[in-house]
Amino acid sequence: MSNKEIENRAIAFVLTHELAAGRDAHDSRNLQGSPVDVQSYDLATGRTLLIEVKAFGGAGRGDFLWLEENQVEALEGNSDGHIYILTNVRSENLSDIQLLDLTGEALHKRLLAKRPKAYFEVPLPTAEYDRLRAKAAPAPTESGAAFALKVLRAVTVLHDRGYHRIRFESVIAPTGMHVRLAVGREQEMTSGFPQHEDLERTAFISVGGEELAARKFADTMVPAWWTPEMVADQILTALPPVEPTTDDPEYVCRLAEFLKRASAAGETPVTDDGDRRP
């Protein structure tokens, strides 16, 4: 659903709401001189409500309300000014949509807290857009070795955060064509590379030398442009619960040295075949 579709859906919701409240409302977005989206005439009082509609595809909680200068002036100078905040407009379940009415003293207080912003509208004709799109740079890629080093760096990031019991293991596949990587809690890695029954509780991947824009790892597609810090966050999300313990500095130092050697070599990091420790 596009932004325009969300806006139109919200306006339709507001017009129906006003009708149910006994008011005669009109979409005034294209009305010359109208500073707001909807003008609603109260048949009982003879007063006209000025309603600016702010539509959010989701909850919109904690977001900003963007107003133009003439809209602020209209709402500040009219006791019947309203900002209708429509939430969850993108939802397929229409009962999820809610109308939040910001008006009266609450609206006045919010307007007093406004912060001016200056911007320029730069037109981008469709012909220019198409020209740029034809020359668009493809998504960045990285080799299997580069991805493996990034995962290794991500584990050292977790160690820096205190998660000393997160382990990194990498072994060459029997075919010799791929390297298998696994990151997990110590209890899943007690005998080195995790056993088959433990793999589902680890972040596991098999990498080769191909250049790819993204790889499936830690329950998501990890794009080449992700940083080790972002990969570290995803690893924590994918693994079973783990607490920072900061109680194994020996392993932390050993893995940091292993990263240093692997980075200098520029090759896929492979842990020792003997005790499977870096």
Side-chain angles (χ1 to χ4, degrees):
M1 186 180 295
S2 67
N3 290 338
K4 189 64 175 179
E5 289 172 325
I6 291 175
E7 179 184 345
N8 289 339
R9 193 174 192 179
I11 294 295
F13 188 102
V14 168
L15 295 178
T16 302
H17 169 82
E18 292 301 290
L19 179 64
R23 294 187 284 269
D24 183 19
H26 299 276
D27 181 350
S28 59
R29 287 177 292 176
N30 298 319
L31 183 63
Q32 184 71 28
S34 175
V36 294
D37 296 317
V38 172
Q39 295 187 25
S40 183
Y41 180 68
D42 192 323
L43 302 177
T45 65
R47 304 174 72 171
T48 299
L49 281 62
L50 298 182
I51 302 170
E52 177 62 17
V53 179
K54 294 301 177 185
F56 292 94
R61 184 171 180 266
D63 213 326
F64 290 94
L65 301 175
W66 298 92
L67 297 174
E68 297 176 3
E69 185 175 353
N70 63 330
Q71 294 171 337
V72 171
E73 291 176 355
L75 294 172
E76 286 180 335
N78 193 307
S79 59
D80 291 318
H82 296 254
I83 296 180
Y84 281 359
I85 303 168
L86 278 292
T87 68
N88 301 309
V89 180
R90 195 186 297 273
S91 175
E92 294 182 0
N93 185 357
L94 296 182
S95 62
D96 290 341
I97 301 177
Q98 293 183 311
L99 188 155
L100 315 181
D101 185 8
L102 181 61
T103 188
E105 184 61 28
L107 174 58
H108 179 68
K109 183 177 180 180
R110 289 296 89 222
L111 291 175
L112 286 176
K114 65 184 180 296
R115 291 188 295 237
K117 298 285 184 179
Y119 64 93
F120 295 92
E121 183 180 80
V122 178
L124 184 64
T126 55
E128 178 65 11
Y129 175 88
D130 292 342
R131 186 188 71 82
L132 294 174
R133 187 178 181 187
K135 298 171 58 179
T141 62
E142 63 185 350
S143 66
F147 181 81
L149 283 170
K150 182 184 293 182
V151 172
L152 178 53
R153 289 190 183 96
V155 176
T156 65
V157 168
L158 291 175
H159 288 169
D160 290 341
R161 296 177 184 176
Y163 294 91
H164 285 193
R165 295 292 168 173
I166 298 290
R167 299 291 186 255
F168 172 91
E169 296 290 344
S170 57
V171 298
I172 299 176
T175 61
M177 302 296 293
H178 295 83
V179 172
R180 296 172 177 173
L181 308 177
V183 177
R185 305 177 303 176
E186 186 180 35
Q187 51 263 53
E188 275 80 50
M189 318 278 277
T190 52
S191 59
F193 201 81
Q195 301 301 306
H196 181 75
E197 59 270 18
D198 294 322
L199 282 179
E200 65 179 15
R201 294 191 297 277
T202 68
F204 168 78
I205 188 174
S206 181
V207 298
E210 63 274 19
E211 292 273 343
L212 297 176
R215 286 175 168 83
K216 178 71 174 178
F217 178 71
D219 295 341
T220 194
M221 289 301 295
V222 177
W225 52 266
W226 269 25
T227 65
E229 289 74 18
M230 297 168 73
V231 176
D233 292 338
Q234 184 60 36
I235 289 172
L236 281 184
T237 299
L239 295 184
V242 57
E243 295 294 329
T245 56
T246 63
D247 61 350
D248 196 355
E250 181 183 352
Y251 177 79
V252 169
C253 290
R254 192 160 61 243
L255 196 73
E257 284 298 317
F258 178 58
L259 171 61
K260 185 177 179 180
R261 296 194 305 270
S263 298
E267 298 176 350
T268 305
V270 177
T271 50
D272 185 77
D273 288 337
D275 61 4
R276 299 198 184 278
R277 304 281 283 184

